Amino acid sequence: MPWKGERDPYKIWLSEVILQQTRVEQGLEYYNRFINQYPTITQLAKAKDEAVFKLWEGLGYYSRCRNLLATARYIAFELGGIMPGKYEELLQLKGVGPYTAAAIASFAFNLPHAVVDGNVFRVIARYFGIDHPTDTSAGKALFTHLANELLAAKEAGRYNQAIMDFGATVCKPALPACTSCPLHKNCAALKAGTVNKLPVKTKTILRKNRWLDYFIFSHQTTIGISQRTNKDIWQGLHEFYLVESDKMIPWSQQLIKEWLSAQLGVEGATIEVISPVRKQQLTHQQISGRFIRIQLSKIPDSLKGLDWVSPAELRKLAFPRFITAYFEEGR
């Protein structure tokens, strides 16, 4: 991405504004257009509203564009075209929050402020095994404090970019590369088998399409289950070991074996069934997923947190319709 390694505070700020609520692939095209049309903040400030809004067309959330113009004009006409160089001053700019201020401060001026985005939340939560919700004030304060404690203060820009890239390419939301991860020996979540469960959020973003893949782990005459406690669909009901993702994971015998070994420390298990994709339409959500039956030779430490119950006990518990429908069909 052209903004990686960039030191011009205007270009960094512009990229951050565009990428708010916009996918990188889409934002890249708009970023290049803006830089070509308005190479400096003063040129942007002098542009007519209509021209800037036309260039923004298709990105949505037009308040971002209005704030962009207002801040550009304030910097150009009130501050002599010079972007503030301190974090506290950047926070005073319209449309600039803690994340954007930290990004500009560290990337442009190498000031020691941690940039805490979704990737950073995920890396820190997993490495330290933190189950405090990231979407609460207390949780954000905790993670931001820890991120700043970890920051390589003399190379803040490089460090921030590195941990963000690490979260995007190694410590990914679904199927992270745990076996090749240079931090795996000290990763608390990997040791506890909770990589798939961290970071924690109290509020589940309402997604129209959700993929819920259930692993039905059996050991001798018991089956591993847990209870849904988050404020989400099916709260209070029981389920099997869940892997949730935002798109279909192409599970195969080989991929499952690699995943079991890398994330749960499971070896020598028998993969009995990989069900076809199943679907259920809720009021505002389309649920899709698979059921994968695994026979364990022993229960690894990573799965000892599950409740291991007999089939008779299982039948007395309440499960979501998505799960009971699967069992009723005898698959």
Side-chain angles (χ1 to χ4, degrees):
M1 297 297 108
W3 48 79
K4 286 191 178 182
E6 181 60 63
R7 300 300 298 272
D8 183 343
Y10 165 60
K11 293 179 180 178
I12 295 168
W13 168 61
L14 179 63
S15 70
E16 293 296 340
V17 173
I18 288 175
L19 291 177
Q20 291 169 8
Q21 299 163 308
T22 301
R23 291 179 295 103
V24 171
E25 296 80 4
Q26 182 186 17
L28 174 60
E29 182 181 346
Y30 283 87
Y31 172 83
N32 288 330
R33 286 184 200 167
F34 267 87
I35 292 301
N36 289 333
Q37 189 78 19
Y38 308 114
T40 69
I41 198 166
T42 301
Q43 287 172 296
L44 175 60
K46 291 180 178 179
K48 292 183 178 180
D49 287 17
E50 294 79 5
V52 177
F53 275 102
K54 184 64 179 176
L55 205 58
W56 187 272
E57 193 174 61
L59 271 178
Y61 299 96
Y62 282 85
S63 60
R64 289 185 292 165
C65 189
R66 286 191 288 272
N67 289 336
L68 183 76
L69 268 173
T71 298
R73 287 165 181 165
Y74 172 72
I75 294 171
F77 306 138
E78 302 294 329
L79 303 181
I82 305 299
M83 178 81 76
K86 294 182 179 180
Y87 176 80
E88 294 75 12
E89 295 172 343
L90 290 164
L91 274 178
Q92 301 304 312
L93 299 176
K94 196 168 186 179
V96 174
Y99 172 85
T100 302
I104 299 170
S106 65
F107 296 144
F109 306 110
N110 203 35
L111 296 176
H113 294 280
V115 177
V116 187
D117 70 348
N119 291 312
V120 177
F121 276 129
R122 187 165 57 256
V123 172
I124 292 177
R126 287 174 173 172
Y127 186 78
F128 292 101
I130 301 173
D131 59 4
H132 291 281
T134 60
D135 57 350
T136 63
S137 298
K140 288 177 182 176
L142 170 67
F143 279 91
T144 300
H145 173 76
L146 186 50
N148 277 296
E149 287 286 311
L150 297 167
L151 185 69
K154 293 183 179 179
E155 295 186 276
R158 289 183 65 201
Y159 174 88
N160 280 330
Q161 192 64 68
I163 193 170
M164 292 164 69
D165 287 349
F166 185 80
T169 61
V170 179
C171 197
K172 299 175 289 186
L175 300 183
C178 295
T179 51
S180 59
C181 173
L183 304 179
H184 76 275
K185 289 184 179 179
N186 297 312
C187 178
L190 185 60
K191 290 180 181 178
T194 55
V195 171
N196 178 56
K197 301 180 184 301
L198 296 175
V200 172
K201 288 186 177 182
T202 57
K203 304 168 187 173
T204 301
I205 298 173
L206 187 60
R207 294 184 294 271
K208 291 184 178 179
N209 297 291
R210 298 174 68 175
W211 283 88
L212 309 180
D213 290 323
Y214 283 110
F215 283 74
I216 305 175
F217 290 112
S218 299
H219 176 250
Q220 296 178 353
T221 60
T222 61
I223 300 171
I225 63 169
S226 61
Q227 190 173 26
R228 292 180 68 90
T229 56
N230 290 341
K231 293 182 179 179
D232 188 14
I233 57 171
W234 308 331
Q235 183 181 4
L237 300 183
H238 293 81
E239 64 182 356
F240 303 103
Y241 189 96
L242 171 65
V243 174
E244 179 166 1
S245 56
D246 57 3
K247 58 184 178 181
M248 184 178 73
I249 297 174
W251 294 112
S252 64
Q253 290 269 341
Q254 184 60 34
L255 180 58
I256 292 170
K257 287 180 181 178
E258 292 173 358
W259 178 82
L260 289 172
S261 175
Q263 286 199 29
L264 299 180
V266 172
E267 303 292 348
T270 302
I271 303 170
E272 296 179 336
V273 174
I274 304 175
S275 81
V277 172
R278 301 179 59 82
K279 297 181 183 292
Q280 180 184 357
Q281 182 65 54
L282 302 183
T283 305
H284 300 293
Q285 301 181 51
Q286 171 76 49
I287 306 297
S288 303
R290 289 180 174 181
F291 291 85
I292 301 169
R293 290 176 176 264
I294 308 287
Q295 183 67 44
L296 301 172
S297 57
K298 66 176 182 178
I299 300 174
D301 290 342
S302 60
L303 295 178
K304 287 182 179 177
L306 295 177
D307 296 320
W308 293 88
V309 300
S310 68
E313 292 172 309
L314 193 74
R315 286 190 286 271
K316 297 176 183 178
L317 299 173
F319 286 82
R321 181 60 184 162
F322 185 73
I323 293 177
T324 59
Y326 168 75
F327 279 105
E328 286 171 5
E329 292 179 12
R331 296 289 178 87

